[in-house]
Amino acid sequence: MLRLRWLTLLTDDPEGLDARITRDLGLSRCAFDPELEGFGVSSAIYPVGPDRFLEVCAPVREGTSAARRLERAGQGVYMVIFQATDLEEHRPRLERHGIRVVAEFDRPQARGRWAALHLHPADTGAALLSLDVSDPPEDFTVVEGPWREHVRTDVVTDLAGLEVHGTDPAALAERWAAATGAPLRDGSLLLDDARIAFRPGTDGVATVLLDAREDRDLDLGGVRFVLRRPTT
């Protein structure tokens, strides 16, 4: 299993972005932490579709990696989480490609277990990538509380994929393939439930693709959101 499960946006205006996400995407915040321990950011989490998530982080302390990233690159996609079955099967490939693990987590949660490998953004490019395991796999246990009560699908029905821009999109695609183990086809990373395309453009710029009730394009927190009705 390799699923696109989570996108994190980094912003300097969390209240304004919360209002836009609630109004324009029709999402409901299921969790909020004023400061994530060890990261120096606030965290607001919104279910997207039946079982995926959008997170909004904002630095609350100077000198953190998130604060430096925001100052250097501005608002945008900060982290992408892929759900895997077993983290150990990924380690040999990461070592072979020289992709460093900058943080590891493995801890019991209220509803099960969560484990993750955070990969060094200098080795992957464009965003911090994370490989996560959730037990049970159908319930992303890192989100505390009854998040399913906050699922809203009146506007957005699911997360369909992501487009990542860079000055060398082919090299970026190869790095993400090495990081995740997902196959590449026609310049796109093929996951079990989504597609990540790589386009020429400014490094770090991203477009989020959403299945929705109606077609619409939005700019939220330095990210282009493309809402489209699924084709049958």
Side-chain angles (χ1 to χ4, degrees):
M1 176 177 62
L2 194 64
R3 297 189 60 203
L4 177 59
R5 199 67 189 265
W6 183 297
L7 298 177
T8 298
L9 307 184
L10 187 64
T11 184
D12 57 3
D13 182 18
E15 292 83 6
L17 191 50
D18 174 83
R20 293 286 309 280
I21 288 171
T22 302
R23 184 187 71 217
D24 296 337
L25 300 182
L27 304 182
S28 173
R29 190 172 70 182
C30 67
F32 178 76
D33 192 329
E35 182 173 355
L36 290 177
E37 183 179 357
F39 293 96
V41 295
S42 62
S43 168
I45 301 171
Y46 311 78
V48 179
D51 66 349
R52 296 195 258 200
F53 299 90
L54 178 67
E55 180 185 28
V56 172
C57 286
V60 296
R61 287 189 287 108
E62 295 181 356
T64 63
S65 58
R68 292 192 297 270
R69 168 67 181 265
L70 185 63
E71 183 177 355
R72 180 179 69 253
Q75 300 184 107
V77 172
Y78 181 56
M79 182 168 66
V80 181
I81 294 179
F82 302 88
Q83 185 180 3
T85 304
D86 179 12
L87 296 182
E88 294 308 312
E89 70 181 18
H90 291 273
R91 290 185 191 272
R93 186 191 65 260
L94 296 173
E95 293 176 1
R96 188 166 63 251
H97 289 279
I99 297 175
R100 292 165 288 177
V101 174
V102 293
E104 296 188 38
F105 307 90
D106 191 342
R107 61 193 187 206
Q109 298 289 98
R111 300 187 307 276
R113 169 182 169 264
W114 168 69
L117 300 176
H118 285 190
L119 309 181
H120 201 303
D123 298 335
T124 59
L128 171 66
L129 304 186
S130 180
L131 298 170
D132 286 37
V133 167
S134 181
D135 184 16
E138 67 274 6
D139 180 4
F140 212 52
T141 57
V142 68
V143 184
E144 298 285 8
W147 60 264
R148 284 192 172 90
E149 295 179 5
H150 291 267
V151 171
R152 303 287 186 271
T153 57
D154 293 339
V155 179
V156 171
T157 58
D158 207 351
L159 174 60
L162 186 67
E163 292 183 352
V164 183
H165 300 259
T167 53
D168 189 345
L172 189 58
E174 293 287 351
R175 290 158 75 185
W176 281 45
T180 62
L184 274 175
R185 184 180 302 164
D186 298 327
S188 294
L189 205 64
L190 302 182
L191 308 174
D192 291 349
D193 60 349
R195 175 175 168 269
I196 299 179
F198 299 86
R199 310 293 190 202
T202 304
D203 288 331
V205 173
T207 300
V208 176
L209 308 176
L210 299 170
D211 289 339
R213 302 292 182 184
E214 62 180 33
D215 297 347
R216 193 192 314 170
D217 292 355
L218 302 168
D219 290 307
L220 302 175
V223 177
R224 189 73 167 170
F225 284 79
V226 175
L227 286 64
R228 293 291 184 269
R229 286 169 288 191
T231 57
T232 56

